[in-house]
Amino acid sequence: MTNNMDKKVVGIDVSKTKLDSNLRGETKVSRWENDSLGCRQLGDNLEKEKVTLVVIEASGGYERKIHAELIQRGIPVARVNPTRVRNFAKAAGQQAKTDK
């Protein structure tokens, strides 16, 4: 049985022009342009890192390009409701928003 902590999970914070990605357990945040080239570059990076899951918040459609790129590559991706993410953080005792 595989330990969930052994899985490589990446979170992506999506805005109109930028994609900020972070591998669970790491402090480094990588920034990519939220355009076709940036999505391809991020996809290349995620494939190279052999990521097992990518989590992105639904961001009013700004996530569509990266979501399509990941689906096309066969990289597992979960598009999550930002309200539920916020409520989960509150339940865990994290009151401040910390995008990066």
Side-chain angles (χ1 to χ4, degrees):
M1 185 183 293
T2 305
N3 181 339
N4 280 337
M5 294 308 290
D6 293 337
K7 295 183 178 187
K8 285 192 167 187
V9 178
V10 169
I12 300 177
D13 186 54
V14 179
S15 71
K16 184 176 183 178
T17 60
K18 302 291 182 195
L19 301 167
D20 291 332
S21 67
N22 174 257
L23 180 63
R24 178 180 59 189
E26 300 288 324
T27 57
K28 180 184 174 200
V29 174
S30 298
R31 177 164 277 185
W32 314 86
E33 295 298 319
N34 191 1
D35 58 16
S36 296
L37 177 60
C39 289
R40 281 194 310 272
Q41 291 171 332
L42 177 50
D44 289 345
N45 181 267
L46 296 173
E47 283 183 335
K48 183 180 86 178
E49 292 291 329
K50 296 182 171 65
V51 168
T52 55
L53 176 65
V54 176
V55 179
I56 57 176
E57 284 185 344
S59 297
Y62 295 133
E63 78 286 355
R64 287 184 186 139
K65 282 182 250 166
I66 189 60
H67 186 258
E69 180 73 27
L70 299 176
I71 293 293
Q72 180 181 4
R73 290 173 180 258
I75 297 172
V77 58
R79 185 168 38 185
V80 297
N81 179 314
T83 302
R84 289 187 178 185
V85 172
R86 185 71 201 118
N87 289 339
F88 179 82
K90 283 181 184 178
Q94 184 174 341
Q95 299 300 315
K97 183 173 174 153
T98 58
D99 282 346
K100 284 195 175 189

